[in-house]
Amino acid sequence: MKEFSVHSRVSRKNAIYTVLGLGLILFILASDIYRWFFLQAYQPVEMLLVGALFVLYIERVGARYTYIAGTTALEVLKRGLFGVRRYEVPYSEVLGIYNYKPKLVSVIKFRRTFRLHSALDDRDVWALAYTAAKKNGDKENCRIYFKPGDEMLDVLTKYLPGKVRITEEEVVQESLRRS
């Protein structure tokens, strides 16, 4: 069957907030450089931290994501500052896809969480919960935060009947059933 893909997008409101944040970081960096050259107050640690913050900020907001629903797995391609990274989750390992709402405490312990969505995208965040094998053969629970949009969720419903647009409690039940 043919693959379906969705790309991350940029919303105007989020782009404005991003530019304001970037301007603040550049203002702090410019003030550090000014103090260094004109006031002879060299603070290398502060400059390194602000520089690292700048790079991390650009990586977070500048990355572009492509979600590909294949016939056997969901694939996520991340094109960022440090190159292209590919994540693949076989449909047989998926526990469920639910609308993500931040909580203080979760019932399931997720060993790995990947934030594979653009900060500039204004769509809802969904969590893809799945199991993955560790090096010693044991299974661990993992999740991916992503912003697929309604079209992609409709396509994933065909491959994962009864596992898309469910509640977090249903994902917990599925996790307990598998363990």
Side-chain angles (χ1 to χ4, degrees):
M1 192 171 243
K2 192 174 182 181
E3 295 179 345
F4 181 80
S5 66
V6 173
H7 302 280
S8 58
R9 63 184 187 195
V10 177
S11 75
R12 182 180 169 96
K13 180 185 82 163
N14 292 355
I16 290 170
Y17 290 139
T18 299
V19 168
L20 291 174
L22 190 61
L24 179 64
I25 293 171
L26 290 176
F27 174 75
I28 294 169
L29 189 60
S31 67
D32 285 343
I33 292 171
Y34 174 80
R35 281 185 288 182
W36 180 21
F37 283 112
F38 295 107
L39 303 176
Q40 271 55 44
Y42 180 60
Q43 297 174 329
V45 174
E46 183 180 346
M47 290 180 73
L48 277 172
L49 289 175
V50 173
L53 179 65
F54 177 76
V55 170
L56 290 174
Y57 193 78
I58 293 296
E59 171 65 17
R60 177 73 178 110
V61 299
R64 298 289 173 249
Y65 298 90
T66 303
Y67 310 115
I68 303 167
T71 55
T72 60
L74 174 67
E75 185 177 343
V76 180
L77 294 176
K78 175 185 177 184
R79 289 177 182 82
L81 197 59
F82 303 114
V84 177
R85 180 110 192 239
R86 182 176 168 266
Y87 300 85
E88 187 174 328
V89 179
Y91 293 139
S92 60
E93 300 296 324
V94 172
L95 298 170
I97 299 174
Y98 59 95
N99 197 350
Y100 173 70
K101 299 290 182 214
K103 291 184 179 179
L104 188 58
V105 178
S106 178
V107 177
I108 304 177
K109 173 138 176 83
F110 291 102
R111 295 293 294 160
R112 307 213 190 302
T113 298
F114 302 99
R115 286 163 186 82
L116 301 179
H117 61 85
S118 175
L120 298 175
D121 200 335
D122 61 348
R123 294 178 285 197
D124 289 337
V125 177
W126 290 81
L128 167 70
Y130 65 98
T131 58
K134 292 195 286 188
K135 291 181 181 178
N136 63 2
D138 292 341
K139 295 278 187 171
E140 63 184 4
N141 292 326
C142 302
R143 70 180 157 192
I144 293 176
Y145 296 143
F146 69 127
K147 295 183 178 181
D150 290 331
E151 288 181 275
M152 176 61 89
L153 291 173
D154 292 340
V155 171
L156 288 172
T157 301
K158 294 175 188 172
Y159 295 116
L160 298 164
K163 292 186 179 184
V164 178
R165 292 184 175 120
I166 61 176
T167 63
E168 188 174 0
E169 289 76 24
E170 291 173 297
V171 172
V172 170
Q173 290 172 356
E174 178 67 18
S175 173
L176 292 173
R177 188 184 64 74
R178 286 192 186 187
S179 59

